[in-house]
Amino acid sequence: MTGLAGGSVIGLSAATLLLFNGDIMGASGIVSTTVLSAKKVFNDESQLWKPVFISSFLLTSSLMLGPSAATDVLVEANAMRIPYPSDAAFVIGGMCVGLGTKLSNGCTSGHGVCGLGRRSMRSLTAVLSFLSSAMTTAYVTSPAVPWSSWTSFLRLDFSDYGTADDRASTSLGFFFTSLFVVPTMIATARTMNKTNNGNDNKESKTKNSMSKCSIAAVSGSMFAAGLAISNMVLRSKLYGFLDVVLGIQNGDWDPTLMTVLGGAFVISTISYEFVKGYGMLNLPFARETPISICPSKEDEKEPQFRIPTNKVIDRKLILGASIFGIGWGISLYCPGPALFLAATGDKAMLLKWIPGYLLGAFLGQ
């Protein structure tokens, strides 16, 4: 039930961003664009919602939910055959996730929640590709297979894993969060000052941008809450799902992630019924423009839904999604949970996975 409930909250997060702002809640795209194109994003009021979304997500993860939401009892007790990723696994895994999501233009949220919600065959192909490669990688690199010595460099012994206090630093998490929050607050204050410049058209655009930022803040907070409620920040849950081969053989496979995606998919699908041209029911009151955005006097058709229209299924998509899955299978984390843990001060995420992810995203540009 927690998986379904958390997935529904994640779906509501995506639906809120879509219906009110007209934007897609693709975690990997939002993060990589904000960091790798920071100057453009922070100086373009139409894109300011992206760092606001991330800042709200991080603040919710670190202050409201905190490290307790990321405490994995099964991992701490060494109760299952859950691997303990080494430094190399975090760096390589993060880099593969960054490169793969950039090549395939999406991750579990962009393709798995938003893309499947609008019945995109391109997203379905990506989801099948990264799930199959992640499950295959988790099996191949499992410590329980006969050839495990060949992949031992990707794992630590439990005795070398350290305590929870050794692996996390609350102050480091707050510092990481502030790297997004502080410049976002400065950029937001600068943008708000533009509402009094006497130019009605520019003032209308600025008000729209501020409205988008408010909605993005709500969406980002809901996304973090959904991950926590569904326990998708816990390695035992993530590996319990990816370890499908040995899990089924041993009778302890964990399907929680499927219920999370299922709950998010249902809400996301419903939200697209209210977007003209994307619903199956063709509702007469489906919207052509986002709810919170008002057209400027300069162009009545200005605010549109920014929904991907690319339908091409090619080698780049499949290769990128597969590389993402490999990284997910090695490190056991995808962008949303990794960012959540980074906000709580997880040193492996902050010092290894995140840098690897950003390097991979940079190479994938």
Side-chain angles (χ1 to χ4, degrees), residues 53-234:
F53 177 93
I54 297 173
S55 297
S56 175
F57 177 93
L58 294 174
L59 285 171
T60 302
S61 302
S62 59
L63 296 179
M64 296 179 64
L65 299 172
S68 60
T71 301
D72 197 327
V73 177
L74 291 177
V75 169
E76 298 300 331
N78 194 25
M80 296 173 62
R81 57 181 181 281
I82 305 168
Y84 300 87
S86 64
D87 292 351
F90 281 121
V91 174
I92 295 172
M95 186 165 62
C96 287
V97 170
L99 175 61
T101 53
K102 202 68 175 178
L103 292 176
S104 61
N105 293 313
C107 57
T108 46
S109 56
H111 282 307
V113 177
C114 303
L116 293 184
R118 64 177 182 272
R119 306 180 307 284
S120 167
M121 291 304 297
R122 176 178 166 84
S123 287
L124 177 60
T125 302
V127 170
L128 293 176
S129 297
F130 66 63
L131 282 180
S132 58
S133 65
M135 289 176 173
T136 300
T137 302
Y139 173 69
V140 171
T141 60
S142 170
V145 294
W147 56 84
S148 61
S149 60
W150 291 88
T151 59
S152 59
F153 71 97
L154 296 173
R155 298 183 301 276
L156 293 174
D157 291 330
F158 180 68
S159 58
D160 298 325
Y161 190 53
T163 65
D165 291 336
D166 294 331
R167 299 192 307 274
S169 168
T170 303
S171 58
L172 196 59
F174 286 152
F175 175 73
F176 174 74
T177 300
S178 69
L179 292 179
F180 286 91
V181 174
V182 173
T184 298
M185 292 177 63
I186 294 173
T188 301
R190 184 174 63 241
T191 301
M192 291 178 66
N193 289 333
K194 295 180 181 179
T195 57
N196 300 314
N197 61 12
N199 187 316
D200 291 341
N201 186 53
K202 289 185 178 180
E203 186 170 324
S204 176
K205 289 185 176 180
T206 300
K207 288 182 178 179
N208 282 339
S209 297
M210 290 297 94
S211 178
K212 289 185 66 173
C213 287
S214 298
I215 297 299
V218 174
S219 177
S221 184
M222 284 196 295
F223 185 33
L227 288 175
I229 293 170
S230 62
N231 291 322
M232 283 299 103
V233 297
L234 303 184

Side-chain angles (χ1 to χ4, degrees), residues 3 7 19 56 60 99 105 109 119 143 187 211 236 250 257 281 293 298 300:
L19 295 178
S56 175
T60 302
L99 175 61
N105 293 313
S109 56
R119 306 180 307 284
S211 178
S236 61
N250 290 278
L257 181 57
L281 302 178
I293 311 300
E298 184 179 272
E300 293 295 327

Side-chain angles (χ1 to χ4, degrees), residues 90-99 349-363:
F90 281 121
V91 174
I92 295 172
M95 186 165 62
C96 287
V97 170
L99 175 61
M349 295 296 108
L350 288 166
L351 305 178
K352 295 147 193 162
W353 196 97
I354 295 291
Y357 168 80
L358 293 176
L359 175 60
F362 174 78
L363 295 175

